């Protein structure tokens, strides 16, 4: 293996972001290698193999739109694609663009240090290899650092144990087994109904109840597929230039403009339609607590109507505002708790004390299990970045600068001061996870690619945002978030799902259209909010 390889750019991660970034850098004739910890492309979709894993965004939108040819040559089969179909799609793109030759699989980036004398990044790989590159680009995404809870005795369990974010490649058989699932976020909601179909007993350990909306997934007809392809231009425009960064259009109407009966009818229609349509019913659901209470109460009543056991129903009622945690789509999720082989343990009432060799010990009993599944999600937003040892100027690490996630500061969620030539695709303080991710990725990759082309054209050695621009953007991001209800909830949005992690809200909520305009304005002013360094101009 070649040591001290010299490249123009290193990209970390071969998911949606890394693949498109590689494509753009190759178009600019820049020597680039993507380092991917997995054995194939796919990013999070390579690892998320658990039963029921699927996307909850329309498949015709959850894809690249930079190429009309790529868009039209692929056929999606259903509204919400299963994991294997998304992985097949990403392999299709990889083959069409001949990307694999510049991807090094089974290779983990453990650290990167900026060499201030040479203006290059020295990248350390877990296999011992060292690579240098002018540009260091993170394409690790917002949700790739798995979270395993700190529970006493976790290593003592003698049965099978799995994490939804690191699922084994070989199929797992739950037939006639006693299975415990810890966690009821998106992965748990998708997994639980599937495991319940075959397990002898399923015990769900729930800390926080969720607002689970009906997915109402369905297969596409050939006519719909053709219509979607014919609507390519309109679809791309809608995704890239709308306020939501998605196909979701929120009605320009307040919940207070309708009577109670009219609100009930509107919510009922959204529930029946399925998907995230509930969020579009009124424009003040996420900014007004009373408006939010209307939709929260509606869903709680739906839960009580579905669940036959009153104690179980009570435990499944969310006690926080709708939407402040990541909304979840489910298929027969609540109905699953009516099965005779499914039991819910409310960890608010009877917390887990420890994992034993035979199962899980709560404050009231030991529950014997053959399998434990940790559906405990991810260290979101900053976790994937902070798990790499990234050091900028003067050897200061990103962990030190951001105070382990307690004081994150970026400019546009793309770059951060004192870390020259370091770019983050859909990083903290960008719209990221609250828009359609492939759309957010394309916007960032296009911007980063244009920026790098500008630097190369003008013989600029390094670029980093000014501290003033960074501080102003971070403050603006916080101010906009505080105008909404999002900051009032505990979730991976705020980092509260990770024990000991400082709480902060790191998603830009000012509208994807406004965000794009800001990014474009910065570029049009020759990156005036950045500091640019050129050795050529000094000679």
């Amino acid at each position: 293996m070649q040591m001290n390889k010299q490249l123009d750019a290193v990209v970390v991660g071969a998911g949606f972001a890394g693949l498109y970034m590689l494509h753009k850098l190759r178009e600019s004739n820049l020597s680039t290698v993507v380092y991917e910890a997995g054995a194939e492309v796919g990013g999070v979709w390579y690892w998320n193999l658990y039963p029921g894993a699927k996307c909850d965004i329309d498949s015709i939108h959850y894809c690249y739109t930079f190429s009309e040819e790529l868009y039209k040559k692929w056929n999606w089969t259903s509204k919400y694609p299963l994991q294997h179909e998304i992985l097949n799609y990403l392999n299709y793109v990889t083959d069409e663009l001949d990307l694999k030759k510049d991807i090094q699989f089974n290779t983990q980036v453990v650290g990167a240090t900026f060499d201030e004398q040479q203006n290059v990044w020295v990248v350390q790989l877990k296999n011992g290899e060292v690579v240098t590159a002018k540009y260091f680009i993170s394409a690790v995404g917002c949700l790739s650092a798995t979270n395993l809870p700190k529970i006493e005795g976790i290593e003592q369990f003698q049965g099978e144990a799995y994490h939804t974010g690191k699922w084994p490649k070989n199929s797992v058989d739950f037939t006639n087994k006693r299975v415990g699932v810890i966690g009821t976020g998106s992965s748990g909601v998708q997994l639980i109904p599937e495991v319940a179909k075959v397990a002898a007993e399923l015990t769900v350990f729930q800390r926080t109840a969720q607002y689970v909306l009906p997915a109402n997934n369905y297969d596409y007809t050939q006519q719909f597929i053709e219509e979607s392809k014919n609507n390519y231009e309109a679809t791309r425009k809608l995704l890239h230039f709308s306020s939501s960064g998605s196909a979701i259009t929120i009605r320009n109407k307040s919940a207070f403009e309708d009577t109670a009966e009219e609100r009930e009818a509107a919510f009922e229609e959204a529930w029946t339609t399925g998907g995230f349509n509930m969020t579009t019913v009124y424009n003040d659901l996420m900014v007004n607590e009373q408006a939010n209470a209307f939709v929260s109460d509606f869903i709680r009543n739906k839960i009580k109507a579905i669940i036959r056991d009153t104690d179980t129903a009570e435990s499944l009622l969310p006690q926080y505002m709708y939407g402040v945690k990541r909304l979840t789509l489910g298929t027969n999720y609540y109905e699953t708790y009516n099965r005779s082989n499914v039991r819910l343990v409310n960890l608010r009432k009877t917390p887990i004390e420890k994992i034993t060799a035979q199962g899980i010990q709560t404050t009231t009993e030991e529950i014997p299990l053959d399998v434990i599944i940790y559906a405990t999600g991810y260290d979101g937003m900053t976790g994937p970045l902070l798990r790499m040892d990234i050091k900028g100027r003067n050897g200061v690490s990103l962990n030190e600068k951001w105070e382990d996630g307690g004081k994150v500061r970026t400019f546009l969620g793309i770059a951060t001061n004192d870390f020259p030539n370091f770019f983050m695709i859909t990083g903290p303080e960008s719209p990221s996870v609250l828009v359609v991710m492939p759309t957010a990725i394309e916007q960032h990759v296009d911007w980063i690619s244009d920026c790098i082309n500008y630097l190369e054209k003008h013989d600029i050695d390094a670029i980093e945002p000014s501290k003033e621009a960074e501080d102003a953007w971070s403050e603006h991001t916080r101010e906009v978030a505080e105008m909404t209800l999002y900051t009032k909830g505990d979730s991976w949005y705020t980092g509260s799902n990770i024990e000991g992690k400082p709480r902060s809200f790191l998603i830009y909520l000012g509208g994807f259209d406004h965000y794009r305009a800001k990014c474009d304005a910065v570029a049009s002013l020759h990156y005036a909010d950045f500091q640019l360094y050129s050795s050529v101009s000094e000679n």
Side-chain angles (χ1 to χ4, degrees):
M1 186 172 291
Q2 183 179 354
M3 302 295 289
N4 297 315
K5 185 186 296 181
Q6 296 181 343
L7 300 164
D8 292 319
V10 160
V11 179
V12 187
F16 273 97
L19 295 178
Y20 185 43
M21 190 76 252
L22 172 59
H23 174 64
K24 293 294 288 185
L25 291 168
R26 287 206 327 204
E27 282 188 333
S28 300
N29 294 316
L30 295 172
S31 60
T32 305
V33 172
V34 174
Y35 293 103
E36 166 57 48
E40 301 176 27
V41 300
V44 69
W45 295 110
Y46 169 77
W47 300 104
N48 279 302
L49 291 164
Y50 61 87
K54 64 173 69 70
C55 180
D56 54 16
I57 303 296
D58 292 29
S59 57
I60 59 171
H61 303 144
Y62 195 79
C63 55
Y64 295 117
T65 59
F66 68 87
S67 165
E68 184 173 2
E69 181 182 359
L70 281 177
Y71 188 86
K72 291 187 173 181
K73 284 178 67 174
W74 180 260
N75 293 320
W76 294 104
T77 62
S78 63
K79 181 178 177 69
Y80 301 123
L82 292 170
Q83 174 272 340
H84 70 84
E85 187 170 12
I86 300 171
L87 194 60
N88 288 342
Y89 168 76
L90 289 172
N91 274 286
Y92 149 75
V93 172
T94 301
D95 292 340
E96 288 288 313
L97 301 179
D98 192 23
L99 298 177
K100 278 189 180 177
K101 62 185 178 184
D102 291 317
I103 304 173
Q104 187 168 316
F105 295 106
N106 300 308
T107 306
Q108 184 179 350
V109 173
V110 295
T113 302
F114 186 69
D115 183 332
E116 296 183 59
Q117 300 301 315
Q118 302 297 322
N119 284 323
V120 296
W121 282 92
V122 181
V123 181
Q124 298 89 36
L125 308 179
K126 191 174 182 178
N127 62 13
E129 185 178 353
V130 176
V131 181
T132 61
K134 182 176 180 179
Y135 304 107
F136 181 57
I137 303 170
S138 168
V140 294
C142 305
L143 294 171
S144 61
T146 53
N147 168 42
L148 190 65
K150 298 176 181 178
I151 303 174
E152 180 186 343
I154 203 166
E155 301 297 332
Q156 296 182 13
F157 183 59
Q158 294 180 355
E160 304 168 54
Y162 306 100
H163 191 289
T164 50
K166 296 289 184 183
W167 202 261
K169 302 306 168 192
N170 55 310
S171 61
V172 180
D173 185 9
F174 301 111
T175 305
N176 298 324
K177 292 180 181 178
R178 300 166 299 175
V179 181
V181 175
I182 302 175
T184 55
S186 292
S187 57
V189 166
Q190 293 180 346
L191 171 92
I192 286 165
E194 297 301 316
V195 175
K197 295 175 184 177
V198 295
E201 299 173 10
L202 172 60
T203 305
V204 178
F205 297 86
Q206 173 194 272
R207 181 179 65 173
T208 306
Q210 305 291 327
Y211 290 101
V212 181
L213 304 172
N216 293 347
N217 195 16
Y218 56 84
D219 291 338
Y220 287 148
T221 64
Q222 189 59 40
Q223 180 182 350
F224 179 85
I225 293 171
E226 294 305 319
E227 289 174 352
S228 299
K229 292 179 179 182
N230 292 335
N231 289 333
Y232 164 78
E233 291 289 351
T235 296
R236 177 171 169 79
K237 183 177 180 181
L238 176 65
L239 293 174
H240 280 267
F241 297 98
S242 65
S243 177
S244 65
S246 70
I248 291 176
T249 302
I250 298 174
R251 285 201 307 167
N252 187 26
K253 188 176 189 178
S254 166
F256 299 98
E257 293 180 47
D258 276 350
T259 65
E261 293 76 14
E262 289 169 335
R263 283 195 298 269
E264 185 78 9
F267 290 142
E268 184 65 41
E269 181 181 357
W271 180 271
T272 302
T273 303
F276 293 119
N277 285 285
M278 194 69 70
T279 305
T280 71
V281 176
Y282 297 110
N283 62 10
D284 48 2
L285 297 181
M286 294 308 302
V287 294
N288 184 286
E289 291 193 27
Q290 183 54 55
N292 188 283
F294 294 145
V295 67
S296 299
D297 288 342
F298 174 86
I299 298 173
R300 291 189 193 108
N301 288 333
K302 282 291 185 183
I303 297 169
K304 286 187 283 188
I306 295 170
I307 307 297
R308 290 196 289 264
D309 181 77
T310 54
D311 289 340
T312 301
E314 193 65 29
S315 292
L316 286 167
L317 300 180
Q319 299 302 318
Y320 52 90
M321 289 182 285
Y322 167 88
V324 298
K325 295 173 76 72
R326 208 288 192 182
L327 290 171
T328 302
L329 301 186
T331 300
N332 296 321
Y333 176 69
Y334 293 120
E335 290 82 354
T336 296
Y337 292 96
N338 290 330
R339 296 177 63 105
S340 60
N341 66 329
V342 177
R343 175 191 175 194
L344 179 69
V345 175
N346 187 340
L347 298 181
R348 301 283 182 182
K349 296 179 179 179
T350 56
I352 293 174
E353 286 190 337
K354 61 182 178 179
I355 307 291
T356 68
Q358 286 75 40
I360 294 178
Q361 176 72 54
T362 71
T363 52
T364 58
E365 62 179 317
E366 181 178 11
I367 301 172
L369 299 168
D370 301 308
V371 183
I372 296 177
I373 301 172
Y374 297 94
T376 47
Y378 300 91
D379 181 356
M381 308 310 297
T382 58
L385 290 164
L386 297 182
R387 290 191 184 188
M388 292 185 286
D389 185 18
I390 303 173
K391 294 180 179 178
R393 294 193 184 280
N394 302 311
V396 175
S397 72
L398 197 60
N399 274 281
E400 290 171 321
K401 176 181 175 175
W402 286 356
E403 298 179 14
D404 295 324
K407 196 174 181 181
V408 174
R409 300 182 301 285
T410 76
F411 185 52
L412 303 174
I414 293 177
T416 188
N417 177 255
D418 281 338
F419 289 76
N421 295 354
F422 171 50
F423 297 101
M424 299 169 285
I425 303 173
T426 64
E429 300 182 334
S430 74
S432 65
V433 295
L434 286 181
V435 301
V436 173
M437 282 304 292
T439 301
I441 285 167
E442 286 189 4
Q443 186 263 331
H444 262 198
V445 168
D446 288 342
W447 192 95
I448 293 168
S449 178
D450 289 344
C451 177
I452 289 175
N453 288 340
Y454 178 89
L455 302 180
E456 294 298 302
K457 180 180 179 180
H458 294 89
D459 294 317
I460 295 168
D461 296 321
I463 185 172
E464 62 183 293
S466 69
K467 185 178 185 304
E468 294 74 20
E470 177 176 275
D471 288 344
W473 180 255
S474 293
E475 180 61 26
H476 173 58
T477 299
R478 285 190 291 273
E479 287 176 350
V480 172
E482 290 296 337
M483 296 168 64
T484 75
L485 302 179
Y486 282 101
T487 60
K488 301 184 185 302
D490 290 331
S491 71
W492 61 259
Y493 285 161
T494 61
S496 60
N497 64 317
I498 304 299
E499 183 180 344
K501 184 174 182 177
R503 192 177 187 279
S504 58
F505 190 85
L506 300 174
I507 307 169
Y508 181 68
L509 297 174
F512 189 61
D513 50 350
H514 294 149
Y515 175 80
R516 173 185 284 278
K518 172 64 176 177
C519 292
D520 291 347
V522 169
S524 68
L525 294 173
H526 307 295
Y527 308 95
D529 290 302
F530 286 80
Q531 297 166 330
L532 282 66
Y533 308 94
S534 175
S535 57
V536 174
S537 62
E538 296 171 359
N539 295 330

